[in-house]
Amino acid sequence: MEKNERFDYYNHLTGLSEWTFSSKEHPDRIIRVNDGPSGLRRERSSSLPIYDYDDNNIKNVCLPTPSAVAASFDKKVAYEVGNCLAKQCLSVNTHIILAPAMNLKVSPLCGRNFEYFSEDPYLTGILAASEVKGIQEYGVGATIKHYALNSREFSRRIVSSEVSKRALNETYLSAFNYVIKHASPSSIMTSYNKINGEYVPESFYMMNRLLNTMSFKGLVMSDWVAISNRAVSMHYGLDLEMPKSKVDNEYIDLGYNKIFNDEDLIRNDKRLDEISEKYGSNKIHELNNGKLHYKAVSLASKSIVLAKNEKNTLPFDVKDKVLVLGEFASNPVFVGTGSGNVSAYRKKSFIDILTEKDIKFKYLQGYDKKDILVKYEEIKKSHCKKIVLFIGQYEEGEDKDRKNIELTQSQLKLIDLLKEHKVKFTTVVITGSVLNIEEVYNASKALVISYLAGEGQAEAIFNNLYGIYNPSGRLPETWISSLDQNPFNKEMTDKNIYYMYYDNDIYVGYKYYELNKSDKFMLPFGYGLSYSTFRYNNAQFNLENNKVTATIEVTNTSKVDGEAVLQLYVRKVHSNIYRPLKEMKDFDKVMVKSKGKATMHFEVELDELKAYRTETDKMELEDGLYEFLIADGLNNIYADASIMLNGVRFDVIKKPAKLERKEISNNYTINSPIGSLFNNQYFKEYVKNMNLPIDADNFEKLYVQYRNEPLRLMLLEPSMNLSIYQLNDLVANLNNSERELSKHINYEYLINE
């Protein structure tokens, strides 16, 4: 292939701009992508202001975040969210949406937990597959992300997720595999982090797993500013670097016929061309945002979790005067920050809804971020029959992790005040992930949890509190009360910039907590209450056509119509390998009229029962007896059956091996942290001697916010105007300076907040 033709390929195997790309074969067929886990995001980003972003500020209906979709335990909700996202895309000529995000919630400290579904790979996979189907039904492409193990935001472009092959394949890749198999997403986005020392596009193992083992046929794109070695990435099957690469073609061409070849370029461009042909001819769809807003309210209403209801405190009566306490009632948080943020079409608070509904109420802010703002006398003088307290997490989002799971001191002071005076109250908790609610849970007569549920959140909370909608949400993750209950506590709080060790192996979420019992407060995975009561009987289990199916009859024994929610768990009896006590493999949600009956259905393909077999590096079905359990949460089992399955015999491995700790390299690379250059006298001298366009004297002051980002990001900074050649020369010279090498591995300076 001639050089000019190769350069043409290079120009199309990266973005044309921040949000667009096309193939070499059809350069005029331009495809636009945009963020969108909770609604189409087309506005200026606040995460990395080191290159130009679109600044459209388009207002869109903010839908329930994936954290709330997961709490619905409802495949239809996920599917309809997908439909809504597609309609938003079609209204502004966006062809592919960068959603859904489907990394597992391994720690409550991860800043992007509101963008993720669950700690469970099957709840994640099933709901993500439903959402992908909902998006692609309208001819819009869906992008599953972030492949894989994107578990924290701190040093996300540098850190390596260290994990066993069994945990990787059986736990962290299973949701991706499920969606690829059942929904055929148009594209997949690779993660920022390394896995076992290699960035995903540079890892033969990870790319081979994706393209061959999982048989993914769609487009493989990078996350934004995530590529370290483009030549290797193209060779292993990364089709598209986003956004437009800042590395010149001459440099890329140095790898031609050494790292990549003509076949790689042609193959990658073919996938670009196939995507552009499939999704490039969408017609503009006129969007009715008012109608879509009320759809968002309906979807959010299905996600509210009733966690406590002592003596039927709820639902409230619309005739009762209610005292509303808490800033979250008037100044709602309903979506996170970063790429998952949406410029909402309509913002309503709970106070707005009470006013619209003509509910008699009194509102006291109660607290702000810093302190309590109310005295007991004000509460007493309100003379309200009902009191509802709103509390929650103020801010969460991309590019930063939480520091803890505690409520603010101001919120805790207000709770103490209510307890001191024996005030009877209901609590509404608003958050994207787990908070320590032990104290307020014990003090409240009733408590509901709203994950960040989009702009319909306030009305959804009203609908559930007042019985207009019967609560049917379930917890998609285990709610703990102390970080030391979580196996990732040390990994998230020690701030090792280079490595994150997944020592818990396959034991994520409830699988860990069931095995490691704690006497501390905990609300289990799958937990949730209803205003209805149900009876379950006549369960049937069948094995046929390489799948196990189950049904159970549910009777609503109450006077209130309600939705029953059950899960199907599987337990391997007498396994040769270490396993969780049980694993969820399916779930169902069905509306049952008062005094009426319905049938709930579950299905598990035998492929979904496979475990990772170390001897073959494959997922295989272990021979023997399996127990199938239909349950309401982890502990309330209503029916079970044992079924013998034919498989293979596994070698005996009764516990996970401890992961080997890796030494931090003392060599600089283009992926070393920018902060390692702070106070580096050799760096300053080199910059001045080589007359590089860098303000060496003020370097730390100018770029302290990027101290945990890799050196290669300096290529994107317009004020530096560095070339890849200059950066590589800088790195080489740093490595040749013996007096500076030792400073590179002393990374404590990087984590000072």
Side-chain angles (χ1 to χ4, degrees):
M1 188 183 294
E2 296 297 323
K3 188 174 184 179
N4 62 341
E5 187 178 4
R6 296 199 301 271
F7 278 29
D8 202 9
Y9 274 108
Y10 304 157
N11 291 336
H12 285 92
L13 298 178
T14 183
L16 298 177
S17 67
E18 182 65 19
W19 302 106
T20 60
F21 69 86
S22 69
S23 68
K24 173 184 175 295
E25 188 69 22
H26 292 93
D28 296 331
R29 200 160 58 197
I30 296 173
I31 297 296
R32 184 179 182 91
V33 303
N34 281 111
D35 290 322
S38 310
L40 188 70
R41 188 185 78 92
R42 286 181 64 165
E43 60 178 351
R44 182 173 176 78
S45 171
S46 60
S47 56
L48 276 176
I50 55 176
Y51 51 90
D52 294 331
Y53 280 81
D54 285 344
D55 193 11
N56 298 300
N57 292 317
I58 294 174
K59 290 190 180 297
N60 271 307
V61 170
C62 183
L63 300 158
T65 69
S67 65
V69 173
S72 75
F73 265 72
D74 194 327
K75 300 161 193 174
K76 293 178 183 176
V77 166
Y79 183 81
E80 291 185 13
V81 165
N83 281 173
C84 294
L85 290 172
K87 290 174 183 177
Q88 289 181 341
C89 289
L90 293 174
S91 71
V92 290
N93 202 32
T94 289
H95 306 93
I96 295 176
I97 191 164
L98 306 176
M102 44 189 292
N103 298 96
L104 298 187
K105 292 184 173 185
V106 300
S107 166
L109 296 182
C110 177
R112 296 184 83 166
N113 274 345
F114 78 96
E115 286 189 66
Y116 302 156
F117 290 97
S118 173
E119 67 188 22
D120 182 77
Y122 276 90
L123 183 59
T124 296
I126 292 168
L127 291 174
S130 296
E131 185 171 311
V132 168
K133 290 176 183 177
I135 293 169
Q136 298 192 163
E137 180 192 25
Y138 281 81
V140 173
T143 305
I144 57 175
K145 61 181 188 178
H146 311 86
Y147 180 74
L149 287 99
N150 192 164
S151 301
R152 78 181 198 195
E153 293 299 284
F154 175 72
S155 70
R156 59 184 179 170
R157 290 183 177 87
I158 292 175
V159 70
S160 176
S161 296
E162 298 293 310
V163 64
S164 73
K165 282 189 176 180
R166 181 175 175 197
L168 174 65
N169 286 277
E170 193 172 307
T171 300
Y172 295 101
L173 299 188
S174 62
F176 289 97
N177 186 48
Y178 187 95
V179 177
I180 290 167
K181 180 179 179 181
H182 293 277
S184 300
S186 73
S187 46
I188 190 168
M189 180 190 292
T190 58
S191 57
Y192 281 123
N193 53 282
K194 300 173 186 175
I195 295 177
N196 294 331
E198 297 177 313
Y199 289 110
V200 170
E202 299 171 28
S203 166
F204 171 78
Y205 189 86
M206 290 300 296
M207 295 298 284
N208 183 58
R209 272 307 193 252
L210 176 64
L211 299 175
N212 296 316
T213 307
M214 298 187 208
S215 300
F216 180 67
K217 304 302 181 186
L219 174 73
V220 185
M221 72 172 75
S222 75
D223 204 338
W224 269 232
V225 199
I227 294 303
S228 171
N229 188 322
R230 193 172 171 200
V232 173
S233 299
M234 289 192 300
H235 175 60
Y236 283 146
L238 182 87
D239 306 309
L240 180 66
E241 176 185 0
M242 288 297 287
K244 186 175 179 62
S245 177
K246 297 296 182 180
V247 176
D248 66 67
N249 289 338
E250 290 286 354
Y251 183 79
I252 297 169
D253 206 50
L254 295 174
Y256 179 63
N257 276 341
K258 300 182 185 70
I259 299 173
F260 64 92
N261 54 35
D262 293 350
E263 184 180 337
D264 297 325
L265 300 178
I266 294 168
R267 176 201 61 214
N268 295 352
D269 191 70
K270 182 181 178 183
R271 284 201 286 255
L272 286 176
D273 196 54
E274 290 170 346
I275 288 292
S276 67
E277 181 179 12
K278 187 171 183 178
Y279 297 104
S281 57
N282 292 336
K283 296 180 180 178
I284 297 294
H285 173 85
E286 190 173 338
L287 194 64
N288 184 331
N289 276 320
K291 185 176 180 180
L292 195 60
H293 169 81
Y294 288 106
K295 170 58 75 172
V297 172
S298 174
L299 296 171
S301 295
K302 295 174 181 288
S303 72
I304 306 299
V305 180
L306 177 62
K308 184 178 182 180
N309 195 20
E310 193 175 290
K311 295 182 179 180
N312 294 323
T313 298
L314 294 174
F316 290 157
D317 191 322
V318 293
K319 297 176 183 177
D320 292 336
K321 183 180 179 182
V322 61
L323 172 63
V324 183
L325 293 170
E327 186 176 15
F328 276 67
S330 62
N331 187 23
V333 176
F334 51 77
V335 70
T337 60
S339 63
N341 188 254
V342 182
S343 293
Y345 167 72
R346 186 177 294 169
K347 297 180 182 179
K348 289 187 177 182
S349 69
F350 186 72
I351 299 304
D352 294 332
I353 303 302
L354 292 181
T355 303
E356 287 180 8
K357 304 290 185 181
D358 279 335
I359 304 294
K360 295 178 182 178
F361 74 93
K362 180 175 177 59
Y363 170 64
L364 296 172
Q365 182 178 338
Y367 60 82
D368 58 19
K369 288 183 180 181
K370 295 181 179 180
D371 208 353
I372 188 171
L373 302 175
V374 67
K375 296 181 179 178
Y376 174 66
E377 288 71 22
E378 297 174 82
I379 296 171
K380 188 176 180 181
K381 288 178 182 178
S382 69
H383 301 298
C384 292
K385 193 169 183 179
K386 302 290 184 181
I387 298 175
V388 58
L389 169 67
F390 277 71
I391 57 175
Q393 175 78 11
Y394 269 101
E395 187 176 329
E396 48 201 303
E398 183 180 12
D399 209 24
K400 59 182 175 183
D401 295 312
R402 289 176 171 183
K403 295 180 180 178
N404 56 60
I405 60 171
E406 303 304 319
L407 297 169
T408 62
Q409 286 299 309
S410 56
Q411 292 174 341
L412 292 172
K413 286 180 181 178
L414 178 52
I415 294 165
D416 286 341
L417 179 67
L418 296 174
K419 286 171 57 180
E420 178 186 352
H421 294 279
K422 296 181 171 55
V423 177
K424 296 179 180 179
F425 64 98
T426 292
T427 300
V428 175
V429 182
I430 298 173
T431 182
S433 189
V434 173
L435 289 171
N436 175 13
I437 59 169
E438 178 181 11
E439 187 173 350
V440 70
Y441 182 91
N442 292 333
S444 303
K445 292 297 179 184
L447 184 142
V448 300
I449 295 171
S450 174
Y451 282 88
L452 299 183
E455 65 179 62
Q457 175 177 278
E459 194 160 351
I461 292 170
F462 176 87
N463 288 343
N464 279 260
L465 290 180
Y466 283 85
I468 297 167
Y469 190 88
N470 189 346
S472 63
R474 297 292 185 269
L475 295 180
E477 59 189 326
T478 308
W479 278 56
I480 57 176
S481 54
S482 172
L483 283 176
D484 63 20
Q485 292 170 273
N486 181 270
F488 282 92
N489 181 29
K490 185 175 184 296
E491 295 302 314
M492 294 294 288
T493 55
D494 277 5
K495 300 293 188 183
N496 183 334
I497 194 169
Y498 297 106
Y499 298 106
M500 182 174 179
Y501 294 97
Y502 290 66
D503 284 319
N504 57 309
D505 204 73
I506 62 171
Y507 299 107
V508 178
Y510 67 85
K511 299 171 187 176
Y512 175 85
Y513 299 121
E514 276 205 303
L515 202 65
N516 298 272
K517 300 292 185 183
S518 171
D519 57 0
K520 295 182 179 178
F521 175 84
M522 183 180 291
L523 293 177
F525 172 86
Y527 173 77
L529 305 175
S530 169
Y531 298 146
S532 301
T533 54
F534 302 100
R535 183 176 68 245
Y536 302 95
N537 49 32
N538 297 329
Q540 294 185 0
F541 298 82
N542 293 290
L543 170 61
E544 55 185 358
N545 300 325
N546 289 317
K547 67 177 65 172
V548 173
T549 58
T551 59
I552 192 168
E553 188 179 89
V554 53
T555 303
N556 186 338
T557 57
S558 70
K559 297 179 181 180
V560 184
D561 297 349
E563 290 182 284
V565 184
L566 291 180
Q567 298 115 49
L568 178 70
Y569 293 89
V570 180
R571 174 189 295 137
K572 175 67 175 73
V573 181
H574 303 307
S575 176
N576 274 1
I577 58 174
Y578 60 91
R579 286 182 181 263
L581 297 181
K582 55 179 173 287
E583 303 175 73
M584 194 190 78
K585 295 295 182 178
D586 198 12
F587 57 91
D588 195 20
K589 185 175 189 176
V590 61
M591 172 60 74
V592 191
K593 294 288 187 180
S594 170
K595 307 301 181 183
K597 294 183 179 181
T599 301
M600 305 185 76
H601 299 267
F602 308 91
E603 179 179 293
V604 182
E605 296 180 9
L606 296 191
D607 276 353
E608 310 304 338
L609 300 178
K610 291 180 177 179
Y612 177 79
R613 191 175 176 210
T614 305
E615 307 94 280
T616 59
D617 191 25
K618 292 180 180 178
M619 297 290 291
E620 298 190 51
L621 183 67
E622 185 182 10
D623 190 73
L625 192 65
Y626 288 76
E627 190 175 7
F628 294 80
L629 314 166
I630 298 176
D632 175 11
L634 288 175
N635 302 317
N636 299 322
I637 298 171
Y638 294 111
D640 64 89
S642 297
I643 299 176
M644 187 69 71
L645 300 177
N646 295 321
V648 298
R649 182 178 178 83
F650 281 45
D651 287 353
V652 177
I653 305 176
K654 288 300 185 181
K655 64 179 182 179
K658 186 173 176 61
L659 294 171
E660 179 185 353
R661 264 42 186 178
K662 295 183 177 179
E663 291 186 6
I664 298 168
S665 171
N666 63 356
N667 287 325
Y668 277 91
T669 72
I670 62 171
N671 293 308
S672 298
I674 288 174
S676 64
L677 300 181
F678 293 173
N679 301 315
N680 184 321
Q681 191 58 40
Y682 181 82
F683 165 69
K684 292 180 180 180
E685 293 173 6
Y686 179 81
V687 166
K688 291 176 181 178
N689 291 338
M690 299 300 293
N691 199 27
L692 295 181
I694 298 174
D695 186 346
D697 293 331
N698 296 304
F699 185 76
E700 179 174 355
K701 185 187 301 182
L702 292 171
Y703 302 108
V704 66
Q705 68 268 41
Y706 306 128
R707 63 189 181 279
N708 299 325
E709 300 286 5
L711 297 181
R712 57 185 162 83
L713 261 67
M714 293 197 297
L715 297 175
L716 306 172
E717 176 53 68
S719 66
M720 288 190 191
N721 198 28
L722 278 181
S723 71
I724 184 65
Y725 305 99
Q726 290 172 319
L727 179 61
N728 282 332
D729 193 55
L730 168 62
V731 167
N733 277 275
L734 287 166
N735 285 330
N736 289 331
S737 172
E738 293 183 6
R739 57 190 169 134
E740 297 300 336
L741 281 177
S742 62
K743 292 186 178 181
H744 178 53
I745 63 173
N746 179 15
Y747 57 89
E748 292 180 4
Y749 58 85
L750 298 171
I751 62 179
N752 296 326
E753 297 293 340

